[in-house]
């Protein structure tokens, strides 16, 4: 996958760095991410710029920005993986079930899917996040609830086509049960699609979490999140731009890296993609 693809290799390295930062945050972080340092502000009460004892500077409360970014990587990765994992699971169950059984079951499931797709994902996420008390796991669940529909639609189309293939018709004629057909003959053909969506979707969930946190209805302070770091410090954008730039570049790099790796997996697992573009 990475041979002759430096962009994919770069994406893997960035993801690995983010995972290591998240896992080793207690070791790598020079300070407690929520500790307000007595020397973390200037005499005028402004954040300290990067350099010196605080490598990336401090925020408006005198907290070390590097420490908060390292712990924020945990939040982004946990939500990205958990939310996207739930979304892919729901989408796979709905899409494969509707595509295989069709009839009134498929009509009902895909009708509900189309209804969910009619609502703007961000608006629906904002409404759900506002209804429930935002926390790390609630935000992950909310994001999953708005992101499963694309997976369901793609897998429905693929499963519908597979159900008409000769090998499926043959095993059905031989008396194979629906469960056996789904497990042994349908699922192996859609697993590559599921893997690709499981990778590409993480970037979407990371961006959506950052958006919700920036709007103040995502992960709540003092828990560090790249989105709420920007939200908390946006008023200092002109006087202390590093408070917005550093978390912003972290979000962009992580989302871009998952997209690059997802594209590489798609080319590797889907023969139809090889040789294109």
């Amino acid at each position: 996958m990475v041979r002759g693809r430096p962009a994919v290799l770069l994406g893997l390295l960035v993801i690995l760095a983010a995972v290591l930062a998240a896992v080793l945050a207690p070791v790598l972080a020079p300070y407690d991410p929520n500790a307000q340092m007595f020397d973390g502000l200037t005499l005028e009460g402004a954040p300290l710029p990067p350099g010196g004892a605080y490598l990336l500077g401090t925020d408006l409360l005198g907290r070390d920005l590097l420490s908060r970014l390292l712990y924020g990587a945990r939040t982004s990765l946990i939500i990205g993986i958990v939310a996207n994992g739930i979304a892919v699971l729901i989408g796979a169950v709905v899409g494969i079930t509707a595509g295989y059984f069709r009839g009134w079951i498929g009509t009902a499931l895909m009708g509900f899917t189309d209804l969910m797709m009619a609502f703007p994902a961000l608006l629906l996420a904002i409404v759900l996040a506002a209804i429930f008390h935002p926390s790390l796991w609630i935000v992950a669940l909310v994001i999953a609830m708005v992101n499963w529909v694309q997976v369901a639609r793609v897998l429905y189309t693929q499963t519908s086509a597979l159900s008409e293939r000769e090998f499926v018709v043959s095993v059905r004629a031989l008396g194979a049960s629906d469960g056996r057909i789904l497990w042994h003959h349908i699922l192996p053909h859609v697993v590559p699609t599921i893997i690709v969506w499981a990778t590409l979707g993480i970037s979407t969930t990371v961006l959506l979490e950052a958006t919700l946190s920036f709007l103040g209805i995502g992960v709540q302070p003092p828990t560090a999140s790249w989105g709420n770091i920007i939200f908390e410090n946006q008023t200092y954008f002109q006087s202390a731009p590093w408070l917005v730039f550093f978390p912003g570049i972290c979000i962009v790099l992580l989302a871009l890296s998952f997209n690059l790796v997802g594209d590489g997996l798609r080319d590797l697992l889907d023969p139809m993609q090889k040789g294109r573009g």
Side-chain angles (χ1 to χ4, degrees):
M1 181 177 71
V2 299
R3 183 178 299 176
R5 290 179 172 271
V8 177
L9 177 60
L10 179 60
L12 285 172
L13 291 176
V14 171
I15 293 171
L16 178 61
V19 171
L20 289 177
V23 173
L24 300 177
V27 177
L28 298 176
Y31 305 97
D32 184 326
N34 298 322
Q36 301 180 29
M37 306 300 176
F38 70 93
D39 60 345
L41 298 173
T42 65
L43 295 177
E44 294 78 19
L48 293 179
Y54 305 102
L55 189 61
L56 298 184
T58 61
D59 65 7
L60 75 168
L61 296 179
R63 297 173 296 191
D64 180 55
L65 183 60
L66 175 59
S67 300
R68 291 188 63 76
L69 288 177
L70 290 171
Y71 277 87
R74 283 184 163 187
T75 302
S76 293
L77 286 173
I78 288 174
I79 290 182
I81 294 171
V82 172
N84 194 58
I86 296 173
V88 169
L89 179 61
I90 295 173
V93 171
V94 172
I96 294 173
T97 302
Y100 178 77
F101 290 102
R102 285 173 288 186
W104 69 268
I105 296 177
T107 301
L109 289 175
M110 297 318 297
F112 178 68
T113 301
D114 291 339
L115 179 64
M116 292 291 293
M117 292 184 72
F119 291 96
L122 179 58
L123 180 60
L124 183 58
I126 291 174
V127 171
L128 292 174
I131 293 174
F132 301 102
H133 180 67
S135 67
L136 181 66
W137 303 111
I138 290 296
V139 170
L141 185 61
V142 165
I143 293 175
M145 290 299 100
V146 300
N147 274 354
W148 63 268
V149 291
Q150 292 85 2
V151 183
R153 173 55 68 181
V154 170
L155 291 178
Y156 167 75
T157 302
Q158 190 173 1
T159 304
S160 296
L162 286 169
S163 298
E164 299 297 328
R165 298 282 295 275
E166 290 81 1
F167 66 91
V168 174
V169 175
S170 299
V171 295
R172 187 183 291 121
L174 291 173
S177 64
D178 291 331
R180 182 176 179 80
I181 294 173
L182 284 169
W183 186 257
H184 292 282
H185 301 282
I186 299 293
L187 188 59
H189 286 82
V190 300
V191 162
T193 302
I194 293 174
I195 293 174
V196 171
W197 274 95
T199 306
L200 289 172
I202 294 178
S203 64
T204 303
T205 56
V206 167
L207 291 172
L208 188 51
E209 181 278 324
T211 302
L212 292 176
S213 295
F214 175 74
L215 294 175
I217 53 177
V219 178
Q220 298 299 294
T223 302
S225 155
W226 291 340
N228 68 27
I229 291 175
I230 297 176
F231 170 71
E232 292 174 339
N233 300 289
Q234 59 182 318
T235 54
Y236 281 78
F237 173 70
Q238 292 185 329
S239 59
W242 63 89
L243 295 177
V244 175
F245 174 78
F246 286 127
I249 199 66
C250 288
I251 294 170
V252 171
L253 284 177
L254 187 61
L256 179 60
S257 297
F258 275 110
N259 274 331
L260 291 174
V261 173
D263 285 340
L265 281 172
R266 181 181 59 190
D267 294 342
L268 178 67
L269 298 173
D270 185 0
M272 298 300 293
Q273 295 291 333
K274 292 182 179 179
R276 293 186 181 179

